C-alpha cells in the first residue's frame, strides 16, 4: 500500500497479515473448529479472508492446527496470496510461526480467525497507526465495571475511563513484533500480541475497534442470541364461492370460484399478516382491519400487507416467511413462483427467504369437498438493535 511519511511524501509499505486459526474452539460445543462454521453461505474464515482481500494487504498467512490443515488449505486456495502454516501448542507459538512464514515485510497485521465482523476500516486504521507510531491495536472502551480482586478476596475498583477491551487486528512494525516474539520465553503467560510487544520494551498504541468486532467464543455467538429472534404463526380460512376472483399471495388465479370475504379474501396474505403481527406482539388483522369498516370492503389484501410490513419493520427485520396453502382444487404448484415473487415485493425480502407450499386434505372436510381454502404461515423476525 501507499503511505505518507512524516514529511508528507508518499512511499510504498509492504503489509502482511497473520490470521490465527489454530485453536480448538471447544467452548462453542461444535465437533469442529468454529472458524469452519458456516454463517449464511460462507465459513467464518471466509468472512475474515474476504475482508482481508483488500488492496492494502499484500500477503496473508493463515495459521492452522494440524487437524484442520486440509480444510483450511481448501479455503485458502480460493484467495490470492493466501498461504497456510502450522501453529504451535500456544497462541504465542502459533503467531511466532505465522510471522516466520510471512517473511520480511514492513507492517504485520495479526488477527484472530474467530473475529469475522472486522471491517476494512478498522484494519486500515490499525495499519496507518503502525506506519506512524509503530503499532495500532484495535480496542473499545470497557462498558462493564472491572475490579481487581486481591488474594484476600476483596475487590478493588479500577477507573473505568482508563480501561479498554482489546481486540484484533493488532498491527505492528514487522521487525519489532518479530523481534518481540523471538525474545519471548517459551513459558511466558501472555494473552495477546500487544503484551508481547510491551514485554520487549515497546509501547503499544490503541486505535478504535468496534463493539461488533466480537470474537466468536460460545455457541450463542455463532447462532445468535435467542432473545433477539421472534417467531410468529398465523392461520386463516375462507369459503370458496362462485362469481368471486381467486387471489392468493396477491396473484389472481384462473378458477371458476373465488374466496368469499370483506376484502379480496386472500387467505394466504391474511395468514402471513397474522404471523408477522403475532411475532411483533401487535394486534391481529381482525383488530387492525375490522370487517365492519367499509374502508376495507373489496380492498386488495396486498395493500393491507404493505401496511402491516411498515408497522412491523419499525422495530423488527423480517428474516423469513414460510406458508402452506391447503386446497383440494385448483392445483397451485404452477402459481407458486409468481406468488413468492409477489410476496417478496411486498415483504421487502428476497424470494429465497419466502417459501409457500400447497397441500390437499385428501378430500376430507370442507376443504376436501372444494368449499374452502385455508392457509397457515410462520415467520421469523429479528429485533433491530438501536
Ligand atoms: Mg381472512
Amino acid at each position: 500500500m501507499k503511505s505518507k511519511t512524516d514529511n508528507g511524501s508518499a512511499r510504498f509499505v509492504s503489509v502482511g497479515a497473520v490470521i490465527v486459526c489454530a485453536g480448538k474452539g471447544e467452548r462453542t460445543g461444535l465437533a469442529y473448529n468454529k472458524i469452519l462454521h458456516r454463517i449464511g453461505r460462507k465459513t467464518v474464515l471466509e468472512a475474515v479472508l474476504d475482508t482481508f482481500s483488500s488492496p492494502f494487504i499484500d500477503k496473508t498467512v493463515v495459521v492452522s492446527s494440524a487437524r484442520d490443515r486440509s480444510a483450511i488449505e481448501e479455503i485458502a486456495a480460493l484467495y490470492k496470496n493466501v498461504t497456510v502454516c502450522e501453529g504451535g501448542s500456544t497462541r504465542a507459538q502459533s503467531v511466532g510461526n505465522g510471522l516466520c512464514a510471512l517473511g520480511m515485510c514492513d507492517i504485520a497485521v495479526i488477527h484472530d480467525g474467530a473475529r469475522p465482523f472486522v471491517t476494512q476500516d478498522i484494519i486500515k486504521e490499525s495499519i496507518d497507526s503502525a506506519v506512524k507510531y509503530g503499532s495500532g491495536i484495535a480496542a473499545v472502551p470497557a462498558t462493564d465495571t472491572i475490579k481487581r480482586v486481591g488474594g484476600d478476596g476483596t475487590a478493588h475498583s479500577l477507573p473505568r475511563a482508563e480501561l479498554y477491551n482489546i481486540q484484533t487486528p493488532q498491527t505492528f512494525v514487522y521487525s519489532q513484533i518479530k523481534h518481540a516474539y523471538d525474545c519471548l520465553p517459551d513459558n511466558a503467560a501472555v494473552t495477546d500480541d500487544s503484551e508481547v510487544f510491551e514485554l520487549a520494551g515497546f509501547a503499544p498504541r490503541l486505535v478504535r475497534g468496534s463493539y461488533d468486532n466480537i470474537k466468536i467464543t460460545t455457541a450463542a455467538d455463532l447462532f445468535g442470541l435467542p432473545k433477539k429472534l421472534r417467531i410468529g404463526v398465523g392461520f386463516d380460512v375462507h369459503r370458496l364461492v362462485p362469481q368471486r376472483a381467486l387471489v392468493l399471495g396477491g396473484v389472481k388465479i384462473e378458477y371458476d370460484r373465488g374466496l368469499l370475504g370483506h376484502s379480496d379474501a386472500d387467505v394466504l396474505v391474511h395468514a402471513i399478516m397474522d404471523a408477522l403481527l403475532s411475532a411483533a406482539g401487535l394486534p391481529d388483522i381482525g383488530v387492525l382491519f375490522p370487517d365492519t369498516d367499509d374502508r376495507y370492503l373489496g380492498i386488495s389484501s396486498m395493500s393491507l400487507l404493505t401496511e402491516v410490513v411498515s408497522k412491523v419493520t419499525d422495530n423488527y427485520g423480517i428474516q423469513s416467511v414460510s406458508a402452506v396453502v391447503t386446497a383440494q382444487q385448483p392445483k397451485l404448484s404452477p402459481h407458486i413462483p409468481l406468488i413468492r415473487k409477489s410476496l417478496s415485493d411486498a415483504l421487502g425480502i428476497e424470494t429465497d427467504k419466502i417459501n409457500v407450499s400447497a397441500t390437499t386434505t385428501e378430500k376430507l372436510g370442507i376443504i376436501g369437498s372444494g368449499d374452502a381454502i385455508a392457509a397457515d404461515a410462520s415467520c421469523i423476525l429479528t429485533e433491530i438493535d438501536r
Side-chain angles (χ1 to χ4, degrees):
M1 68 178 269
K2 213 175 197 178
S3 184
K4 288 246 166 72
T5 58
D6 282 345
N7 63 17
S9 65
R11 70 177 173 108
F12 286 97
V13 177
S14 62
V15 179
V18 174
I19 311 292
V20 192
C21 297
K24 295 193 192 76
E26 283 166 339
R27 272 184 287 174
T28 54
L30 296 173
Y32 51 89
N33 190 337
K34 60 199 169 189
I35 57 114
L36 300 173
H37 183 75
R38 280 182 190 283
I39 296 181
R41 293 197 179 122
K42 294 195 168 171
T43 59
V44 170
L45 177 57
E46 283 169 275
V48 171
L49 290 175
D50 281 352
T51 309
F52 273 79
S53 298
S54 80
F56 43 85
I57 308 277
D58 301 302
K59 51 183 171 177
T60 298
V61 171
V62 180
V63 188
S64 158
S65 64
R67 183 190 70 171
D68 298 323
R69 183 152 188 165
S70 65
I72 286 178
E73 272 174 347
E74 228 170 86
I75 292 170
L78 303 171
Y79 295 85
K80 259 202 269 177
N81 304 322
V82 177
T83 54
V84 179
C85 83
E86 221 156 275
S89 56
T90 63
R91 186 184 184 281
Q93 284 169 16
S94 293
V95 174
N97 291 2
L99 289 170
C100 281
L102 198 58
M104 194 54 193
C105 51
D106 295 317
I107 299 292
V109 184
I110 302 170
H111 187 67
D112 293 323
R115 286 189 195 269
F117 306 114
V118 65
T119 63
Q120 291 196 343
D121 284 347
I122 297 175
I123 299 169
K124 178 78 168 51
E125 210 173 315
S126 79
I127 294 171
D128 288 345
S129 172
V131 168
K132 208 164 174 189
Y133 304 108
S135 63
I137 316 299
V140 286
T143 51
D144 288 330
T145 295
I146 298 174
K147 306 259 181 191
R148 176 184 287 128
V149 181
D152 60 355
T154 56
H156 304 275
S157 297
L158 298 169
R160 192 169 69 184
E162 294 175 10
L163 298 176
Y164 285 78
N165 290 337
I166 302 300
Q167 308 178 331
T168 68
Q170 300 197 3
T171 302
F172 308 90
V173 169
Y174 176 85
S175 57
Q176 293 179 352
I177 191 69
K178 177 77 172 62
H179 167 75
Y181 268 102
D182 288 345
C183 299
L184 187 72
D186 277 346
N187 58 355
V190 289
T191 57
D192 78 333
D193 312 297
S194 66
E195 192 179 351
V196 176
F197 194 64
E198 210 181 325
L199 286 172
F202 300 107
R205 192 169 175 115
L206 304 188
V207 295
R208 190 176 31 172
S210 158
Y211 290 104
D212 292 335
N213 181 25
I214 60 162
K215 183 174 182 180
I216 291 172
T217 305
T218 65
D221 297 334
L222 274 177
F223 301 114
L225 298 172
K227 75 174 170 60
K228 297 209 163 185
L229 295 180
R230 307 270 299 215
I231 293 174
V233 292
F235 170 78
D236 197 19
V237 58
H238 280 262
R239 189 176 286 277
L240 267 174
V241 295
Q243 290 169 342
R244 286 272 299 181
L246 176 60
V247 182
L248 290 172
V251 175
K252 200 169 166 199
I253 291 166
E254 283 307 318
Y255 193 49
D256 61 1
R257 280 170 290 166
L259 294 169
L260 182 63
H262 187 66
S263 64
D264 65 359
D266 187 331
V267 69
L268 171 59
V269 169
H270 291 188
I272 290 173
M273 287 193 287
D274 269 347
L276 294 168
L277 291 164
S278 145
L282 294 169
D284 64 27
I285 52 170
V287 176
L288 289 182
F289 314 117
D291 62 8
T292 50
D293 190 332
D294 282 350
R295 278 181 301 166
Y296 305 121
L297 185 64
I299 197 171
S300 160
S301 297
M302 292 301 275
S303 65
L304 304 180
L305 178 59
T306 304
E307 206 173 308
V308 165
V309 167
S310 142
K311 276 182 198 297
V312 164
T313 53
D314 278 344
N315 292 307
Y316 301 95
I318 302 170
Q319 298 307 317
S320 67
V321 168
S322 183
V324 53
V325 180
T326 308
Q328 196 62 45
Q329 284 286 336
K331 195 169 173 52
L332 296 176
S333 57
H335 306 286
I336 300 270
L338 212 53
I339 290 174
R340 288 174 70 200
K341 173 73 177 67
S342 155
L343 291 172
S344 161
D345 292 342
L347 292 164
I349 60 174
E350 295 88 345
T351 49
D352 65 3
K353 292 178 177 169
I354 300 166
N355 213 357
V356 177
S357 52
T359 188
T360 72
T361 60
E362 298 285 345
K363 300 193 174 163
L364 295 169
I366 190 172
I367 293 172
S369 63
D371 293 312
I373 293 180
D376 295 80
S378 63
C379 69
I380 291 179
L381 307 183
T382 42
E383 286 175 18
I384 294 171
D385 285 331
R386 299 202 190 280

